[in-house]
Amino acid sequence: MKTQSSSQKAISFAVGITPGEVIDAYGVGKVVASGNPRFEKDDLVVGVITWGEYSVVKEGTILNKLDSMGFPETYHLGVLGFSGLSAYGGFFELCKPKKGEKVFVSAASGSVGNLVGQFAKLFGCYVVGCAGSKQKVELLKEKLGFDDAFNYKEETDLKSALKRYFPDGIDIYFDNVGAEMQEAAVANMNAFGRVAVCGVMSEYTDAGKRAAPDMLDVVYKRITIRGFLAADFMNVFADFISTTSDHLRSGNMQAVEYITPGLENIPSAFIGLFRGDNIGKTIVKIAEE
């Protein structure tokens, strides 16, 4: 949606939107008419649709029949969708965790962050998350099993705050916000630390915020900083679904959702992401199942 960004040339997902065009979204829908033999009327599908009551889906678009596997449809947009795949792939495939390692997650109550923390705890890591309200911090510690969590808005010095929570340093930082939080995490990282950059929430709408980690730390601590997209991990999608659905059925993982009703509320729900209104996966429900 930016007027201009070099990222818009990086991959087809990121091409700039022209005002007046439909806006893509990942969603669940029901087929009302089909000219494709893979789909029949009344099939439930999940994939790339658009902001609207009806979507015309062209050949080649990511769209599949929905096998609910006994879970609510909404789970296939969040915990069993691209949010979950981002968390699973970013943590296990990029960060290559070892049991007992120290993991820091920013925007830890968001759609991806809360899942990263849960995967890390189940794997056997020590996990601390940050979030922007007392309610979110309590959720992380009391419901989602984080070892600790803090409200970054109450901290005047992020480097000192992370030193308090990680006296022995950070091994893995799962970055959802960028800017000064990334700088503080890098300053507290151990040798051979790994940073998975999933998003830069604080930078999307504030041109003045840009991460500038101390590159001497990156060199001498031999830190890896790597960006990624969920689509990079389609090769492990089956493993992700199997592992995550087992955790959900056993009660070891929780799905956290923030559902807003009404097509007319899509823009406000979207803007709310940048204000931190949501806890977990933001979903807009535009029709009854």
Side-chain angles (χ1 to χ4, degrees), residues 183-198:
E183 295 171 13
V186 167
N188 281 279
M189 293 202 84
N190 292 325
F192 301 103
R194 289 85 79 202
V195 180
V197 186
C198 178

Side-chain angles (χ1 to χ4, degrees), residues 26-37:
Y26 195 72
V28 168
K30 181 183 273 191
V31 176
V32 292
S34 173
N36 185 315

Side-chain angles (χ1 to χ4, degrees), residues 23-73:
I23 297 174
D24 288 341
Y26 195 72
V28 168
K30 181 183 273 191
V31 176
V32 292
S34 173
N36 185 315
R38 287 175 55 218
F39 304 104
E40 296 178 3
K41 186 175 183 295
D42 294 331
D43 280 349
L44 279 179
V45 293
V46 60
V48 178
I49 53 175
T50 59
W51 285 7
E53 290 176 289
Y54 295 92
S55 302
V56 177
V57 181
K58 296 186 175 120
E59 187 72 51
T61 303
I62 297 172
L63 193 75
N64 294 294
K65 283 188 185 180
L66 175 63
D67 174 5
S68 72
M69 301 187 298
F71 294 111
E73 275 83 0

Side-chain angles (χ1 to χ4, degrees), residues 2-289:
K2 289 192 180 299
T3 309
Q4 191 174 359
S5 170
S6 57
S7 65
Q8 291 167 342
K9 297 179 181 141
I11 190 168
S12 60
F13 291 140
V15 170
I17 294 169
T18 303
E21 288 182 344
V22 293
I23 297 174
D24 288 341
Y26 195 72
V28 168
K30 181 183 273 191
V31 176
V32 292
S34 173
N36 185 315
R38 287 175 55 218
F39 304 104
E40 296 178 3
K41 186 175 183 295
D42 294 331
D43 280 349
L44 279 179
V45 293
V46 60
V48 178
I49 53 175
T50 59
W51 285 7
E53 290 176 289
Y54 295 92
S55 302
V56 177
V57 181
K58 296 186 175 120
E59 187 72 51
T61 303
I62 297 172
L63 193 75
N64 294 294
K65 283 188 185 180
L66 175 63
D67 174 5
S68 72
M69 301 187 298
F71 294 111
E73 275 83 0
T74 52
Y75 280 30
H76 298 274
L77 301 180
V79 63
L80 295 172
F82 276 166
S83 297
L85 184 60
S86 296
Y88 183 90
F91 183 64
F92 290 110
E93 296 296 303
L94 290 195
C95 295
K96 305 272 192 232
K98 302 180 188 74
K99 289 186 194 309
E101 284 195 313
K102 312 293 192 294
V103 178
F104 174 47
V105 185
S106 57
S109 66
S111 66
V112 178
N114 88 84
L115 300 174
V116 173
Q118 293 186 75
F119 280 131
K121 275 303 299 173
L122 289 166
F123 184 73
C125 294
Y126 176 81
V127 185
V128 176
C130 72
S133 73
K134 182 182 177 187
Q135 178 194 10
K136 291 177 179 180
V137 167
E138 286 175 357
L139 172 90
L140 297 176
K141 294 197 287 189
E142 294 170 16
K143 184 179 177 184
L144 301 184
F146 282 61
D147 291 290
D148 215 335
F150 65 93
N151 182 349
Y152 68 89
K153 293 177 182 175
E154 296 175 352
E155 301 293 343
T156 54
D157 183 338
L158 291 174
K159 289 181 183 176
S160 297
L162 289 179
K163 182 70 178 170
R164 256 192 354 261
Y165 286 97
F166 293 97
D168 298 321
I170 299 167
D171 298 303
I172 292 171
Y173 172 42
F174 199 98
D175 189 6
N176 291 302
V177 300
E180 61 266 35
M181 191 68 78
Q182 187 190 99
E183 295 171 13
V186 167
N188 281 279
M189 293 202 84
N190 292 325
F192 301 103
R194 289 85 79 202
V195 180
V197 186
C198 178
V200 287
M201 181 55 88
S202 69
E203 300 185 19
Y204 296 137
T205 56
D206 187 340
K209 288 201 169 193
R210 292 292 180 266
D214 187 333
M215 297 309 288
L216 276 177
D217 276 338
V218 174
V219 172
Y220 281 93
K221 293 180 184 177
R222 289 144 288 175
I223 293 167
T224 302
I225 302 176
R226 168 83 183 268
F228 69 92
L229 298 170
D232 298 341
F233 306 120
M234 293 310 290
N235 62 314
V236 296
F237 189 79
D239 292 339
F240 150 66
I241 290 291
S242 172
T243 299
T244 309
S245 56
D246 284 349
H247 286 324
L248 288 167
R249 288 194 182 99
S250 66
N252 289 329
M253 276 188 89
Q254 309 294 321
V256 185
E257 299 177 328
Y258 184 81
I259 300 175
T260 301
L263 176 71
E264 69 280 5
N265 291 316
I266 290 178
S268 59
F270 175 68
I271 292 165
L273 289 168
F274 303 95
R275 288 195 301 251
D277 292 352
N278 63 303
I279 297 181
K281 179 68 177 178
T282 291
I283 297 168
V284 177
K285 181 177 182 179
I286 61 171
E288 292 302 319
E289 290 174 15

